[in-house]
mmCIF file with all atom_site columns, all heavy atoms in Angstrom:
data_model
loop_
_atom_site.group_PDB
_atom_site.id
_atom_site.type_symbol
_atom_site.label_atom_id
_atom_site.label_alt_id
_atom_site.label_comp_id
_atom_site.label_asym_id
_atom_site.label_entity_id
_atom_site.label_seq_id
_atom_site.pdbx_PDB_ins_code
_atom_site.Cartn_x
_atom_site.Cartn_y
_atom_site.Cartn_z
_atom_site.occupancy
_atom_site.B_iso_or_equiv
_atom_site.pdbx_formal_charge
_atom_site.auth_seq_id
_atom_site.auth_comp_id
_atom_site.auth_asym_id
_atom_site.auth_atom_id
_atom_site.pdbx_PDB_model_num
ATOM 1   N N   . TYR A 1 162 ? 7.626  6.899  7.782  1.00 0.00 ? 402 TYR A N   1
ATOM 2   C CA  . TYR A 1 162 ? 8.498  6.351  8.846  1.00 0.00 ? 402 TYR A CA  1
ATOM 3   C C   . TYR A 1 162 ? 9.965  6.817  8.706  1.00 0.00 ? 402 TYR A C   1
ATOM 4   O O   . TYR A 1 162 ? 10.608 7.206  9.642  1.00 0.00 ? 402 TYR A O   1
ATOM 5   C CB  . TYR A 1 162 ? 8.429  4.848  8.933  1.00 0.00 ? 402 TYR A CB  1
ATOM 6   C CG  . TYR A 1 162 ? 7.328  4.272  9.781  1.00 0.00 ? 402 TYR A CG  1
ATOM 7   C CD1 . TYR A 1 162 ? 6.479  3.287  9.255  1.00 0.00 ? 402 TYR A CD1 1
ATOM 8   C CD2 . TYR A 1 162 ? 7.173  4.666  11.083 1.00 0.00 ? 402 TYR A CD2 1
ATOM 9   C CE1 . TYR A 1 162 ? 5.446  2.797  10.035 1.00 0.00 ? 402 TYR A CE1 1
ATOM 10  C CE2 . TYR A 1 162 ? 6.133  4.115  11.891 1.00 0.00 ? 402 TYR A CE2 1
ATOM 11  C CZ  . TYR A 1 162 ? 5.291  3.144  11.334 1.00 0.00 ? 402 TYR A CZ  1
ATOM 12  O OH  . TYR A 1 162 ? 4.307  2.661  12.143 1.00 0.00 ? 402 TYR A OH  1
ATOM 13  N N   . ALA A 1 163 ? 10.460 6.655  7.464  1.00 0.00 ? 403 ALA A N   1
ATOM 14  C CA  . ALA A 1 163 ? 11.852 7.038  7.201  1.00 0.00 ? 403 ALA A CA  1
ATOM 15  C C   . ALA A 1 163 ? 12.045 8.542  7.500  1.00 0.00 ? 403 ALA A C   1
ATOM 16  O O   . ALA A 1 163 ? 13.061 8.917  8.148  1.00 0.00 ? 403 ALA A O   1
ATOM 17  C CB  . ALA A 1 163 ? 12.171 6.770  5.735  1.00 0.00 ? 403 ALA A CB  1
ATOM 18  N N   . ILE A 1 164 ? 11.142 9.372  7.084  1.00 0.00 ? 404 ILE A N   1
ATOM 19  C CA  . ILE A 1 164 ? 11.279 10.818 7.360  1.00 0.00 ? 404 ILE A CA  1
ATOM 20  C C   . ILE A 1 164 ? 11.205 11.101 8.873  1.00 0.00 ? 404 ILE A C   1
ATOM 21  O O   . ILE A 1 164 ? 11.962 11.852 9.447  1.00 0.00 ? 404 ILE A O   1
ATOM 22  C CB  . ILE A 1 164 ? 10.164 11.595 6.621  1.00 0.00 ? 404 ILE A CB  1
ATOM 23  C CG1 . ILE A 1 164 ? 10.374 11.499 5.114  1.00 0.00 ? 404 ILE A CG1 1
ATOM 24  C CG2 . ILE A 1 164 ? 10.156 13.083 7.072  1.00 0.00 ? 404 ILE A CG2 1
ATOM 25  C CD1 . ILE A 1 164 ? 9.188  12.026 4.275  1.00 0.00 ? 404 ILE A CD1 1
ATOM 26  N N   . GLY A 1 165 ? 10.266 10.465 9.544  1.00 0.00 ? 405 GLY A N   1
ATOM 27  C CA  . GLY A 1 165 ? 10.073 10.658 11.012 1.00 0.00 ? 405 GLY A CA  1
ATOM 28  C C   . GLY A 1 165 ? 11.333 10.258 11.802 1.00 0.00 ? 405 GLY A C   1
ATOM 29  O O   . GLY A 1 165 ? 11.710 10.925 12.693 1.00 0.00 ? 405 GLY A O   1
ATOM 30  N N   . HIS A 1 166 ? 11.857 9.082  11.425 1.00 0.00 ? 406 HIS A N   1
ATOM 31  C CA  . HIS A 1 166 ? 13.060 8.582  12.112 1.00 0.00 ? 406 HIS A CA  1
ATOM 32  C C   . HIS A 1 166 ? 14.255 9.523  11.866 1.00 0.00 ? 406 HIS A C   1
ATOM 33  O O   . HIS A 1 166 ? 15.044 9.723  12.793 1.00 0.00 ? 406 HIS A O   1
ATOM 34  C CB  . HIS A 1 166 ? 13.392 7.168  11.655 1.00 0.00 ? 406 HIS A CB  1
ATOM 35  C CG  . HIS A 1 166 ? 12.407 6.177  12.171 1.00 0.00 ? 406 HIS A CG  1
ATOM 36  N ND1 . HIS A 1 166 ? 11.861 6.207  13.459 1.00 0.00 ? 406 HIS A ND1 1
ATOM 37  C CD2 . HIS A 1 166 ? 11.863 5.054  11.567 1.00 0.00 ? 406 HIS A CD2 1
ATOM 38  C CE1 . HIS A 1 166 ? 11.031 5.174  13.604 1.00 0.00 ? 406 HIS A CE1 1
ATOM 39  N NE2 . HIS A 1 166 ? 10.990 4.492  12.518 1.00 0.00 ? 406 HIS A NE2 1
ATOM 40  N N   . MET A 1 167 ? 14.359 10.060 10.681 1.00 0.00 ? 407 MET A N   1
ATOM 41  C CA  . MET A 1 167 ? 15.507 10.980 10.419 1.00 0.00 ? 407 MET A CA  1
ATOM 42  C C   . MET A 1 167 ? 15.369 12.305 11.204 1.00 0.00 ? 407 MET A C   1
ATOM 43  O O   . MET A 1 167 ? 16.363 12.819 11.670 1.00 0.00 ? 407 MET A O   1
ATOM 44  C CB  . MET A 1 167 ? 15.575 11.250 8.891  1.00 0.00 ? 407 MET A CB  1
ATOM 45  C CG  . MET A 1 167 ? 16.225 10.172 8.114  1.00 0.00 ? 407 MET A CG  1
ATOM 46  S SD  . MET A 1 167 ? 16.492 10.697 6.420  1.00 0.00 ? 407 MET A SD  1
ATOM 47  C CE  . MET A 1 167 ? 14.795 10.668 5.799  1.00 0.00 ? 407 MET A CE  1
ATOM 48  N N   . LEU A 1 168 ? 14.133 12.740 11.461 1.00 0.00 ? 408 LEU A N   1
ATOM 49  C CA  . LEU A 1 168 ? 13.966 13.997 12.162 1.00 0.00 ? 408 LEU A CA  1
ATOM 50  C C   . LEU A 1 168 ? 14.332 13.821 13.635 1.00 0.00 ? 408 LEU A C   1
ATOM 51  O O   . LEU A 1 168 ? 14.521 14.796 14.352 1.00 0.00 ? 408 LEU A O   1
ATOM 52  C CB  . LEU A 1 168 ? 12.505 14.431 12.053 1.00 0.00 ? 408 LEU A CB  1
ATOM 53  C CG  . LEU A 1 168 ? 12.038 14.897 10.637 1.00 0.00 ? 408 LEU A CG  1
ATOM 54  C CD1 . LEU A 1 168 ? 10.622 15.304 10.658 1.00 0.00 ? 408 LEU A CD1 1
ATOM 55  C CD2 . LEU A 1 168 ? 12.964 16.027 10.165 1.00 0.00 ? 408 LEU A CD2 1
ATOM 56  N N   . ALA A 1 169 ? 14.474 12.572 14.114 1.00 0.00 ? 409 ALA A N   1
ATOM 57  C CA  . ALA A 1 169 ? 14.877 12.332 15.488 1.00 0.00 ? 409 ALA A CA  1
ATOM 58  C C   . ALA A 1 169 ? 16.342 12.739 15.653 1.00 0.00 ? 409 ALA A C   1
ATOM 59  O O   . ALA A 1 169 ? 16.753 13.079 16.811 1.00 0.00 ? 409 ALA A O   1
ATOM 60  C CB  . ALA A 1 169 ? 14.698 10.857 15.870 1.00 0.00 ? 409 ALA A CB  1
ATOM 61  N N   . ARG A 1 170 ? 17.063 12.764 14.590 1.00 0.00 ? 410 ARG A N   1
ATOM 62  C CA  . ARG A 1 170 ? 18.531 13.045 14.669 1.00 0.00 ? 410 ARG A CA  1
ATOM 63  C C   . ARG A 1 170 ? 18.771 14.500 15.117 1.00 0.00 ? 410 ARG A C   1
ATOM 64  O O   . ARG A 1 170 ? 19.431 14.754 16.131 1.00 0.00 ? 410 ARG A O   1
ATOM 65  C CB  . ARG A 1 170 ? 19.148 12.811 13.333 1.00 0.00 ? 410 ARG A CB  1
ATOM 66  C CG  . ARG A 1 170 ? 20.677 12.847 13.280 1.00 0.00 ? 410 ARG A CG  1
ATOM 67  C CD  . ARG A 1 170 ? 21.277 11.684 13.919 1.00 0.00 ? 410 ARG A CD  1
ATOM 68  N NE  . ARG A 1 170 ? 22.714 11.596 13.596 1.00 0.00 ? 410 ARG A NE  1
ATOM 69  C CZ  . ARG A 1 170 ? 23.474 10.643 14.046 1.00 0.00 ? 410 ARG A CZ  1
ATOM 70  N NH1 . ARG A 1 170 ? 23.063 9.684  14.846 1.00 0.00 ? 410 ARG A NH1 1
ATOM 71  N NH2 . ARG A 1 170 ? 24.790 10.612 13.694 1.00 0.00 ? 410 ARG A NH2 1
ATOM 72  N N   . PRO A 1 171 ? 18.203 15.519 14.452 1.00 0.00 ? 411 PRO A N   1
ATOM 73  C CA  . PRO A 1 171 ? 18.395 16.878 14.966 1.00 0.00 ? 411 PRO A CA  1
ATOM 74  C C   . PRO A 1 171 ? 17.738 17.132 16.287 1.00 0.00 ? 411 PRO A C   1
ATOM 75  O O   . PRO A 1 171 ? 18.206 17.950 17.089 1.00 0.00 ? 411 PRO A O   1
ATOM 76  C CB  . PRO A 1 171 ? 17.839 17.716 13.847 1.00 0.00 ? 411 PRO A CB  1
ATOM 77  C CG  . PRO A 1 171 ? 16.865 16.840 13.090 1.00 0.00 ? 411 PRO A CG  1
ATOM 78  C CD  . PRO A 1 171 ? 17.490 15.481 13.211 1.00 0.00 ? 411 PRO A CD  1
ATOM 79  N N   . LEU A 1 172 ? 16.579 16.504 16.572 1.00 0.00 ? 412 LEU A N   1
ATOM 80  C CA  . LEU A 1 172 ? 15.922 16.718 17.823 1.00 0.00 ? 412 LEU A CA  1
ATOM 81  C C   . LEU A 1 172 ? 16.701 16.136 19.006 1.00 0.00 ? 412 LEU A C   1
ATOM 82  O O   . LEU A 1 172 ? 16.645 16.667 20.131 1.00 0.00 ? 412 LEU A O   1
ATOM 83  C CB  . LEU A 1 172 ? 14.512 16.051 17.800 1.00 0.00 ? 412 LEU A CB  1
ATOM 84  C CG  . LEU A 1 172 ? 13.421 16.900 17.076 1.00 0.00 ? 412 LEU A CG  1
ATOM 85  C CD1 . LEU A 1 172 ? 12.194 16.028 16.892 1.00 0.00 ? 412 LEU A CD1 1
ATOM 86  C CD2 . LEU A 1 172 ? 13.080 18.171 17.808 1.00 0.00 ? 412 LEU A CD2 1
ATOM 87  N N   . GLY A 1 173 ? 17.461 15.103 18.707 1.00 0.00 ? 413 GLY A N   1
ATOM 88  C CA  . GLY A 1 173 ? 18.264 14.483 19.774 1.00 0.00 ? 413 GLY A CA  1
ATOM 89  C C   . GLY A 1 173 ? 19.269 15.384 20.380 1.00 0.00 ? 413 GLY A C   1
ATOM 90  O O   . GLY A 1 173 ? 19.792 15.071 21.483 1.00 0.00 ? 413 GLY A O   1
ATOM 91  N N   . ASP A 1 174 ? 19.621 16.440 19.715 1.00 0.00 ? 414 ASP A N   1
ATOM 92  C CA  . ASP A 1 174 ? 20.616 17.385 20.239 1.00 0.00 ? 414 ASP A CA  1
ATOM 93  C C   . ASP A 1 174 ? 20.028 18.214 21.394 1.00 0.00 ? 414 ASP A C   1
ATOM 94  O O   . ASP A 1 174 ? 20.813 18.781 22.212 1.00 0.00 ? 414 ASP A O   1
ATOM 95  C CB  . ASP A 1 174 ? 21.120 18.320 19.136 1.00 0.00 ? 414 ASP A CB  1
ATOM 96  C CG  . ASP A 1 174 ? 22.000 17.612 18.129 1.00 0.00 ? 414 ASP A CG  1
ATOM 97  O OD1 . ASP A 1 174 ? 22.556 16.510 18.500 1.00 0.00 ? 414 ASP A OD1 1
ATOM 98  O OD2 . ASP A 1 174 ? 22.087 18.111 16.969 1.00 0.00 ? 414 ASP A OD2 1
ATOM 99  N N   . THR A 1 175 ? 18.735 18.388 21.446 1.00 0.00 ? 415 THR A N   1
ATOM 100 C CA  . THR A 1 175 ? 18.127 19.251 22.421 1.00 0.00 ? 415 THR A CA  1
ATOM 101 C C   . THR A 1 175 ? 17.089 18.621 23.285 1.00 0.00 ? 415 THR A C   1
ATOM 102 O O   . THR A 1 175 ? 16.586 19.254 24.232 1.00 0.00 ? 415 THR A O   1
ATOM 103 C CB  . THR A 1 175 ? 17.425 20.476 21.665 1.00 0.00 ? 415 THR A CB  1
ATOM 104 O OG1 . THR A 1 175 ? 16.421 20.000 20.794 1.00 0.00 ? 415 THR A OG1 1
ATOM 105 C CG2 . THR A 1 175 ? 18.507 21.266 20.948 1.00 0.00 ? 415 THR A CG2 1
ATOM 106 N N   . MET A 1 176 ? 16.717 17.361 23.020 1.00 0.00 ? 416 MET A N   1
ATOM 107 C CA  . MET A 1 176 ? 15.600 16.735 23.767 1.00 0.00 ? 416 MET A CA  1
ATOM 108 C C   . MET A 1 176 ? 16.037 15.333 24.324 1.00 0.00 ? 416 MET A C   1
ATOM 109 O O   . MET A 1 176 ? 16.859 14.639 23.697 1.00 0.00 ? 416 MET A O   1
ATOM 110 C CB  . MET A 1 176 ? 14.365 16.497 22.844 1.00 0.00 ? 416 MET A CB  1
ATOM 111 C CG  . MET A 1 176 ? 13.707 17.729 22.479 1.00 0.00 ? 416 MET A CG  1
ATOM 112 S SD  . MET A 1 176 ? 12.085 17.383 21.730 1.00 0.00 ? 416 MET A SD  1
ATOM 113 C CE  . MET A 1 176 ? 11.230 16.712 23.168 1.00 0.00 ? 416 MET A CE  1
ATOM 114 N N   . ARG A 1 177 ? 15.431 15.025 25.439 1.00 0.00 ? 417 ARG A N   1
ATOM 115 C CA  . ARG A 1 177 ? 15.638 13.666 26.034 1.00 0.00 ? 417 ARG A CA  1
ATOM 116 C C   . ARG A 1 177 ? 14.745 12.666 25.270 1.00 0.00 ? 417 ARG A C   1
ATOM 117 O O   . ARG A 1 177 ? 13.645 13.001 24.773 1.00 0.00 ? 417 ARG A O   1
ATOM 118 C CB  . ARG A 1 177 ? 15.316 13.640 27.527 1.00 0.00 ? 417 ARG A CB  1
ATOM 119 C CG  . ARG A 1 177 ? 16.363 14.384 28.339 1.00 0.00 ? 417 ARG A CG  1
ATOM 120 C CD  . ARG A 1 177 ? 16.015 14.283 29.842 1.00 0.00 ? 417 ARG A CD  1
ATOM 121 N NE  . ARG A 1 177 ? 17.005 14.881 30.661 1.00 0.00 ? 417 ARG A NE  1
ATOM 122 C CZ  . ARG A 1 177 ? 18.061 14.236 31.134 1.00 0.00 ? 417 ARG A CZ  1
ATOM 123 N NH1 . ARG A 1 177 ? 18.228 12.938 30.827 1.00 0.00 ? 417 ARG A NH1 1
ATOM 124 N NH2 . ARG A 1 177 ? 18.984 14.853 31.893 1.00 0.00 ? 417 ARG A NH2 1
ATOM 125 N N   . LEU A 1 178 ? 15.158 11.408 25.295 1.00 0.00 ? 418 LEU A N   1
ATOM 126 C CA  . LEU A 1 178 ? 14.405 10.371 24.639 1.00 0.00 ? 418 LEU A CA  1
ATOM 127 C C   . LEU A 1 178 ? 13.017 10.243 25.177 1.00 0.00 ? 418 LEU A C   1
ATOM 128 O O   . LEU A 1 178 ? 12.039 10.100 24.453 1.00 0.00 ? 418 LEU A O   1
ATOM 129 C CB  . LEU A 1 178 ? 15.155 9.023  24.791 1.00 0.00 ? 418 LEU A CB  1
ATOM 130 C CG  . LEU A 1 178 ? 14.484 7.789  24.222 1.00 0.00 ? 418 LEU A CG  1
ATOM 131 C CD1 . LEU A 1 178 ? 14.292 7.933  22.720 1.00 0.00 ? 418 LEU A CD1 1
ATOM 132 C CD2 . LEU A 1 178 ? 15.298 6.558  24.544 1.00 0.00 ? 418 LEU A CD2 1
ATOM 133 N N   . GLY A 1 179 ? 12.831 10.343 26.530 1.00 0.00 ? 419 GLY A N   1
ATOM 134 C CA  . GLY A 1 179 ? 11.520 10.170 27.133 1.00 0.00 ? 419 GLY A CA  1
ATOM 135 C C   . GLY A 1 179 ? 10.537 11.215 26.651 1.00 0.00 ? 419 GLY A C   1
ATOM 136 O O   . GLY A 1 179 ? 9.385  10.944 26.378 1.00 0.00 ? 419 GLY A O   1
ATOM 137 N N   . ALA A 1 180 ? 11.053 12.469 26.484 1.00 0.00 ? 420 ALA A N   1
ATOM 138 C CA  . ALA A 1 180 ? 10.211 13.522 26.044 1.00 0.00 ? 420 ALA A CA  1
ATOM 139 C C   . ALA A 1 180 ? 9.800  13.303 24.610 1.00 0.00 ? 420 ALA A C   1
ATOM 140 O O   . ALA A 1 180 ? 8.652  13.515 24.210 1.00 0.00 ? 420 ALA A O   1
ATOM 141 C CB  . ALA A 1 180 ? 10.935 14.873 26.162 1.00 0.00 ? 420 ALA A CB  1
#
Side-chain angles (χ1 to χ4, degrees):
Y402 270 129
I404 294 171
H406 289 320
M407 278 187 291
L408 292 180
R410 188 76 165 177
L412 281 169
D414 290 338
T415 58
M416 291 193 67
R417 288 183 176 271
L418 177 61

